[in-house]
Amino acid sequence: KYKTLYGMNFRKKAGLNSDVISFIPKGTVLNVESVDKNGWGKLTYKNETGYVRIKGQTKTYCEKV
């Protein structure tokens, strides 16, 4: 599980250019299924499967809980 450190976009695919499905508020605890080598986490949120940024090159977006 990860908790969001910021409000963030929930996207259809892993990548900043992917379409946004919805917005996840700061402090939301997420059940992340997997995290790829680029720091994108795959999860299901409100019955939609998509991706959020867990960790970037210089910034952490979610912390393990």
Side-chain angles (χ1 to χ4, degrees), residues 30-59:
L30 306 169
N31 287 315
V32 176
E33 298 169 24
S34 62
V35 180
D36 71 15
K37 63 179 171 50
N38 295 317
W40 287 90
K42 181 180 181 181
L43 63 127
T44 300
Y45 178 73
K46 294 188 176 178
N47 296 320
E48 295 261 17
T49 299
Y51 296 82
V52 294
R53 194 83 189 263
I54 303 292
K55 190 170 174 70
Q57 288 183 338
T58 60
K59 190 173 185 177

Side-chain angles (χ1 to χ4, degrees), residues 1 3-4 14 16 19 24 32 42-43 54 57 62:
K1 293 186 183 231
K3 183 168 88 173
T4 59
L16 295 174
D19 291 342
I24 299 176
V32 176
K42 181 180 181 181
L43 63 127
I54 303 292
Q57 288 183 338
C62 299

